[in-house]
Amino acid sequence: MQLDDLYRRVIMDHYKNPRNRGSFEDGGMTIELNNPTCGDRIALQLKMENGIVQDARFQGEGCSISLSSASMMTDAIKGKTFEQALAMAESFSGLMKGEDVEFEYEDIEALSGVNKFPARIKCATLAWNAMRKGIDKAKDD
């Protein structure tokens, strides 16, 4: 099996079986973003305490890239400090620019091919941008 095929399978697995899809019954911070160029939208919920992302959930509609990225990101940031989560977001931005980046949560690397399709980068980064916005807001509170 070629690497591209493996990556496609990982992306489709997260799209068809998203991790952390849904919402918290007892609240959490909600950040809503959309990508008007393609219609992707996300409502990311974060539970944060003492500078740590305790839990993350998302709801939304979008393409396989957008929703797979949200699934991977919510899995990857759980239990991470704000600084660790923001560093991951920075690494993800590098991945979208074609940089050779490795992640502790390896599924994210399946999105490395997105950089070959500039119009899809906004799809892949939507959830990450929502997470950055949420952590920035939590830091200000």
Side-chain angles (χ1 to χ4, degrees):
M1 180 184 319
Q2 291 187 339
L3 192 57
D4 285 345
D5 290 336
L6 176 63
Y7 282 173
R8 231 182 322 274
R9 287 181 185 195
V10 170
I11 290 168
M12 290 312 293
D13 179 51
H14 277 272
Y15 177 64
K16 291 178 180 179
N17 306 294
R19 284 60 156 180
N20 310 302
R21 187 166 197 156
S23 60
F24 300 118
E25 291 184 22
D26 57 348
M29 178 189 293
T30 301
I31 305 94
E32 295 183 14
L33 290 181
N34 67 15
N35 178 359
T37 57
C38 68
D40 293 340
R41 63 175 190 78
I42 188 170
L44 176 67
Q45 282 192 310
L46 298 171
K47 284 192 174 183
M48 299 176 282
E49 189 176 323
N50 300 321
I52 296 174
V53 179
Q54 300 292 329
D55 206 350
R57 299 275 166 96
F58 76 97
Q59 293 187 67
E61 297 174 357
C63 66
S64 60
I65 299 297
S66 176
L67 296 180
S68 296
S69 184
S71 173
M72 294 173 193
M73 188 269 305
T74 54
D75 247 7
I77 65 170
K78 286 182 185 180
K80 302 296 185 202
T81 65
F82 290 173
E83 291 74 23
Q84 290 170 320
L86 292 171
M88 263 192 266
E90 198 59 37
S91 292
F92 190 76
S93 291
L95 185 71
M96 293 297 102
K97 293 175 188 168
E99 296 172 9
D100 188 22
V101 181
E102 290 184 14
F103 291 88
E104 183 180 319
Y105 187 82
E106 294 176 357
D107 284 7
I108 295 170
E109 294 170 24
L111 294 167
S112 63
V114 171
N115 69 38
K116 296 175 187 138
F117 306 95
R120 304 301 300 273
I121 291 173
K122 287 184 180 181
C123 302
T125 58
L126 186 64
W128 294 89
N129 290 335
M131 182 264 292
R132 282 180 171 158
K133 188 174 179 180
I135 288 177
D136 287 346
K137 186 176 177 183
K139 286 172 141 183
D140 289 342
D141 288 346

